[in-house]
Amino acid sequence: MHDICNLFGAALNRARHELGLTQIELAEKLGTTDRSISDLERGKTNSKLDTVAHFARSLEISVDALIGVVPKGDVPSCVKTFFAGMSAEEAAKYIRLCKDAE
């Protein structure tokens, strides 16, 4: 269970930063406290499923993205956007870079 809390916290933190929000601003948007956001981002607390769904809707991301899960066979939209219009050779270079970085 602790792993899913950490995944959720990291995804919440990423989504918050992508929107350019502070923890206080996000808390106000979601109707909670900045302490609650901090605890969630650090994986210190667990959230109810309806709360996770509310956060996902408010952050305009999927629940899967918010809990750090990409369903098998699905490619995240950011990856599709990144590779859109790229030649196969150019895409292969980026894929090799990613594999080498692992």
Side-chain angles (χ1 to χ4, degrees):
M1 180 61 89
H2 188 65
D3 288 340
I4 195 78
C5 291
N6 288 330
L7 288 172
F8 174 76
L12 180 62
N13 181 277
R14 264 191 316 278
R16 178 174 63 79
H17 280 96
E18 286 175 7
L19 291 173
L21 299 173
T22 65
Q23 288 181 340
I24 293 170
E25 292 167 331
L26 180 60
E28 289 172 357
K29 178 179 177 114
L30 298 173
T32 189
T33 65
D34 59 315
R35 172 68 187 245
S36 178
I37 298 298
S38 175
D39 288 346
L40 288 167
E41 286 186 357
R42 290 181 294 123
K44 299 294 180 193
T45 58
N46 195 1
S47 192
K48 293 180 184 178
L49 184 57
D50 61 336
T51 303
V52 173
H54 172 63
F55 282 20
R57 282 190 303 274
S58 296
L59 295 167
E60 298 179 9
I61 61 175
S62 71
V63 171
D64 289 338
L66 193 53
I67 61 172
V69 175
V70 177
K72 289 184 180 180
D74 284 359
V75 176
S77 61
C78 60
V79 173
K80 290 177 184 176
T81 302
F82 180 78
F83 285 106
M86 198 179 285
S87 71
E89 294 80 24
E90 191 176 9
K93 288 178 188 177
Y94 283 106
I95 292 168
R96 274 194 302 278
L97 280 172
C98 291
K99 287 181 178 179
D100 290 345
E102 289 178 1

